[in-house]
Structures are given as structure tokens and as C-alpha cells.
Amino acid sequence: MISRAWLLPVIYRLSRWSVGIFYHASIDGERPAATGPVLFVANHPNSGFDPAFVASCAGRPVRFLAKAPLFGQPVLGRLLRACGAIPVYRRQDDPGLMDRNVGMLAAAQEALVAGDAVGIFPEGISHSDPSLAPLRTGAARIALGAVQACGGGFPIVPVGLVLQQKERFRSRALALIGAPLGWTDLTEKGIEDAYAVRELTARIENALRQVTLNLERWEDAAVASLAEAVYSSEFPASGGRSERHRREAAFADVLVGLRRTDPRRLKDLLSSLRQFEEFLSALNTGPSDLDRQARPRTALAWSARQLALLLVGAPLALLGHLAFFVPYQVTDRIGSADHLERNVRSTYKLLAGAAVYATWIALLATAAAILLGPWLAPLVLVALPVLGFVTLVVRERWREDRTRVQRYLRFRRKGDARGALLIMRLELAQRLETLRFTHTG
């Protein structure tokens, strides 16, 4: 099976490209060694997109475990085999095939012994719940079954995918690479040792909880994010995105703790945060932006640079918007269909978009060849993807710059409001600091 994974290096590069196009993706944490066996374990919030994101984090090709019914599909099945994917037989798919998982374990262990990277989603399902689903024991059994043949322990690396608007194109996505698990005390135990399997599974779950955002309810996500932004504005995070994520998770625990022990205090906190958020919305700004008060000369020079950039890019962006209006609308409608669950919409958008945009570019190239001459078709095939990328960059730059200009003008007009908000932010941050250390669940 290993020798037939001829498409794996290509898919790895396509994965990095697709994640970067669909999301504003950020990766934080230290990648493991580029060679040698490694087992990646990750949460599974986003169906077919998750393997691509984990592969981007790995920095190397990864062979994933995938549910067995996918291998029965004519095209997708061939693609999965060419990528070295390993079929998993789940009880909910067909209880009668569960005994075939012995072969799955052997194949995954063989890949690790060969020095490959293997990826698995221990929850066993893709879902849109606000917290991790109970973990299955497959990852632990794969590791314990391969450790002796690998000559000892190898890295088991947790990857947390934090996607709060996962079905939205160009939304922000964060992947956190955790530290490899400590499991040297279990490496002498075999796959038949029930205690070792349970203990390693528990350690994998704990590691995943450290790099994911586990909420009691989805409404807590926005509150925890705002609380972290307020807090970090006064007490900057020294550890980058990882530290900010840990703070956000801590504030999610604060909400859980207050909801159970002090509902009145929770209500007061939520009221204060919402009031602060409303004031910020009126100024179209964020908590940390209150500190940025540019001088008129600096603002003028910055505006001149941005205007020059937009004068060059705006005509191209307009042309790209017109050229790709039809495939964009078609892709959005396909990926937003009511019957699709949240955890598969981004996958549908990506796959449908690849097909729709490729077809549309081919049609435009054909039309150009018929109307203006065959020499123009290759030029259109090359120029249109470049135009699409330029359009994407310019549109996002324009939105960011427009927001900055509006914020600057409002701050210039409402200096007193800014001062009052700075005081309010400080008081909120101090309250959050107290709660963070006294009401974490």
C-alpha cells in the first residue's frame, strides 16, 4: 500500500494551497521533524477540509485514516488510495465489517514503521458541536502496536483546528500544533494492555483539549473572544497566538464556572462586555485599536501610499470581479444549500469551486479563441487565475484600509469617547484578570 501512494506529495502541496486560498489561515507551534515516524492526532470540525489543514501544519506528506465507505466511490476511492489513505470501518457505517479494522491497524502501523507521517481524527466523526466528542481508542492502539517495530517511542503530535466561521470563505482559521505527548512509560506495553490503551487515549484527549476551544454552548465563543481581546489589550500576550488561544479557552472556562456558581455575576459581566462591544461597534473599531491614534501627517502619508496602490489595483480588481461573478455566485449557492451540514459546507465550496472555476476559465478561453483567434486561449488560461488572485488581494486590502480610515476619522472627531472607552477597557480587563484566576472550571 505504501508504494502505491504516488499522489501523496502532490496532494500535500495542493492541500497547503487550498487552505491558504479558502481561509485566512494561521499556524502556530513547532512542527516535528521532517523525517521519521510521527502520529498526528487532531479534532475534526470541518469534514474533508481537516486533512488538508493538518497536512499544512505537518510540513510533510501525511497518510490519513478515512472512513471506509468513501473508498467504495469510483473516483474518490481511487484518489484516496493514490494518496495512501487507510480505510477505517466504523460501527455506524456497517457493524458487520468491524473485524476489518485489524487490517487498518496493521496498515497504519506499517506506515509508521516505514517512517511515514500518519494522521488520525480520534473523535471518529466530523461534527459542529462546541466541544470535543468522546475519543475512540484507535490512535492509542495504532501507536502501541507500532512502537516496538519503530525501535521505541515516536512523536504523537496534537493539532487543534479552531474554526469559528468554518463555512465562510476567507474567514480566519487557526491551527495550533501542541507539544508531543509524553508516553515513554507506556512504550513497553502492548496493544493488548487495556490500561495502556485507556491511559494513552486519555493523554491524547487532554493534549487535544489544550489546543482546541471547548465550549459549553456556541454563544460562549463570541464572549470568550471579546474577553480575550479586551484582556490582551491591557495585558499583551507574550506567547503569540498560542497564548491568546489559551487565554480564550480560560475565559470560556470562566463562563462555565460562573454559570454554575454565580449566575448573577455572570449576568453583570455579560452586560458590561456587551455594552463595551456596542460602543466599539459605534466607532467601528476593536479593543486594541483604541491605542492607535495616528498623527495627521502620518495618516496623510499612509493614505497616499495606499491610494497609489489602489489606483493600480482597483481596475484589475473590478475586472476580476466582473470576470468571476458568475462562478462565485454558483459556488456560493452550491456550498450554502440548506441540506448541507455546517461541517461539510466548506468542503463542498472548495470542491465545487475548483470544478466551476476551472470550467468557467476553460469556457472563457474557448470563447476568446473563437472570437479573437486561437493564439489568445493560452494567454487567457494563464491570465485569468492571476487576475483572480489579484482581485482577492486588492478587495481584502481595500476593506482593511477603508476600516482604518473610518476609524481614524472617528477618533479624530470623538477624542473624548476614545478616552472613556480606554478607561472602560481597563476596568473590564482588571475584572477579567480576577475572574480568570478564581473561576476557571
Side-chain angles (χ1 to χ4, degrees):
M1 178 178 288
I2 294 173
S3 61
R4 293 204 299 267
W6 59 272
L7 195 56
L8 186 56
V10 177
I11 290 296
Y12 161 64
R13 292 179 176 83
L14 287 176
S15 295
R16 298 180 63 184
W17 175 82
S18 62
V19 171
I21 289 293
F22 195 90
Y23 291 117
H24 275 295
S26 300
I27 299 174
D28 195 76
E30 186 175 348
R31 289 188 173 105
T35 58
V38 58
L39 180 63
F40 289 96
V41 292
N43 60 317
H44 205 4
N46 206 20
S47 188
F49 230 122
D50 293 339
F53 211 167
V54 174
S56 297
C57 297
R60 59 187 287 192
V62 181
R63 299 184 59 196
F64 286 94
L65 277 67
K67 58 185 180 181
L70 297 177
F71 289 80
Q73 299 181 21
V75 177
L76 184 57
R78 289 192 180 93
L79 182 63
L80 288 172
R81 292 185 182 90
C83 294
I86 301 168
V88 178
Y89 299 88
R90 306 184 305 172
R91 187 174 301 279
Q92 62 263 42
D93 295 327
D94 190 340
L97 299 178
M98 292 292 291
D99 59 332
R100 296 191 182 182
N101 278 329
V102 174
M104 175 273 292
L105 290 172
Q109 292 160 6
E110 178 188 357
L112 289 168
V113 172
D116 290 349
V118 173
I120 184 172
F121 302 98
E123 294 170 285
I125 54 171
S126 174
H127 65 91
S128 293
D129 295 336
S131 184
L132 282 173
L135 265 57
R136 313 294 174 86
T137 60
R141 289 186 289 142
I142 289 171
L144 290 169
V147 64
Q148 296 301 323
C150 287
F154 49 83
I156 301 177
V157 179
V159 178
L161 307 179
V162 184
L163 313 164
Q164 293 184 17
Q165 293 178 298
K166 57 189 177 184
E167 70 273 24
R168 182 179 172 187
F169 181 64
R170 300 306 292 170
S171 60
R172 297 195 177 277
L174 173 63
L176 291 169
I177 306 173
L181 273 69
W183 64 297
T184 54
D185 58 315
L186 301 176
T187 55
E188 296 299 324
K189 303 181 184 296
I191 194 173
E192 302 300 328
D193 190 315
Y195 164 78
V197 172
R198 289 195 305 271
E199 175 63 19
L200 186 52
T201 300
R203 294 183 191 182
I204 291 172
E205 179 174 1
N206 180 63
L208 281 176
R209 289 192 177 277
Q210 299 302 313
V211 293
T212 54
L213 188 62
N214 294 278
L215 306 166
E216 190 172 60
R217 54 184 72 172
W218 272 121
E219 305 91 272
D220 290 349
V223 179
S225 179
L226 176 60
E228 191 283 325
V230 170
Y231 185 84
S232 291
S233 298
E234 296 291 342
F235 306 101
S238 59
R241 297 185 186 92
S242 296
E243 176 62 21
R244 292 198 296 271
H245 169 77
R246 282 191 287 270
R247 290 179 174 184
E248 192 169 337
F251 288 127
D253 288 342
V254 166
L255 298 178
V256 173
L258 288 177
R259 189 173 288 122
R260 295 173 181 173
T261 62
D262 200 342
R264 181 174 298 179
R265 195 173 185 183
L266 173 63
K267 183 178 180 181
D268 181 58
L269 174 65
L270 294 177
S271 176
S272 298
L273 284 169
R274 288 183 185 124
Q275 184 182 38
F276 183 63
E277 185 177 33
E278 288 172 2
F279 289 147
L280 293 177
S281 297
L283 292 175
N284 193 25
T285 190
S288 62
D289 296 319
L290 295 172
D291 297 315
R292 301 167 187 165
Q293 190 176 26
R295 297 177 180 177
R297 182 180 297 178
T298 303
L300 183 62
W302 176 87
S303 298
R305 290 194 300 270
Q306 300 308 313
L307 180 61
L309 175 64
L310 289 174
L311 285 176
V312 176
L316 292 175
L318 178 60
L319 180 61
H321 176 75
L322 295 174
F324 291 107
F325 178 79
V326 172
Y328 180 85
Q329 295 298 323
V330 171
T331 301
D332 187 62
R333 287 178 180 273
I334 293 174
S336 303
D338 292 338
H339 69 278
L340 295 177
E341 297 180 2
R342 282 191 65 212
N343 59 304
V344 300
R345 287 186 176 183
S346 60
T347 303
Y348 271 79
K349 284 184 179 181
L350 177 66
L351 296 177
V356 171
Y357 274 78
T359 301
W360 182 254
I361 290 172
L363 287 174
L364 291 181
T366 302
I370 293 173
L371 296 175
L372 301 174
W375 60 271
L376 196 58
L379 180 61
V380 171
L381 289 174
V382 173
L384 279 179
V386 174
L387 178 63
F389 179 76
V390 171
T391 301
L392 190 64
V393 172
V394 172
R395 283 180 59 187
E396 292 180 351
R397 189 68 172 267
W398 168 250
R399 289 172 184 167
E400 294 173 359
D401 292 347
R402 182 180 59 186
T403 300
R404 289 172 181 170
V405 171
Q406 290 173 341
R407 184 184 304 133
Y408 168 75
L409 294 175
R410 284 169 180 155
F411 280 170
R412 293 292 298 175
R413 292 196 304 265
K414 300 182 179 182
D416 292 342
R418 174 178 172 273
L421 284 173
L422 284 169
I423 294 173
M424 190 175 183
R425 189 186 71 181
L426 176 60
E427 292 175 348
L428 270 173
Q430 290 172 339
R431 287 172 61 186
L432 289 167
E433 183 177 30
T434 301
L435 289 170
R436 182 185 174 201
F437 293 106
T438 58
H439 284 81
T440 51

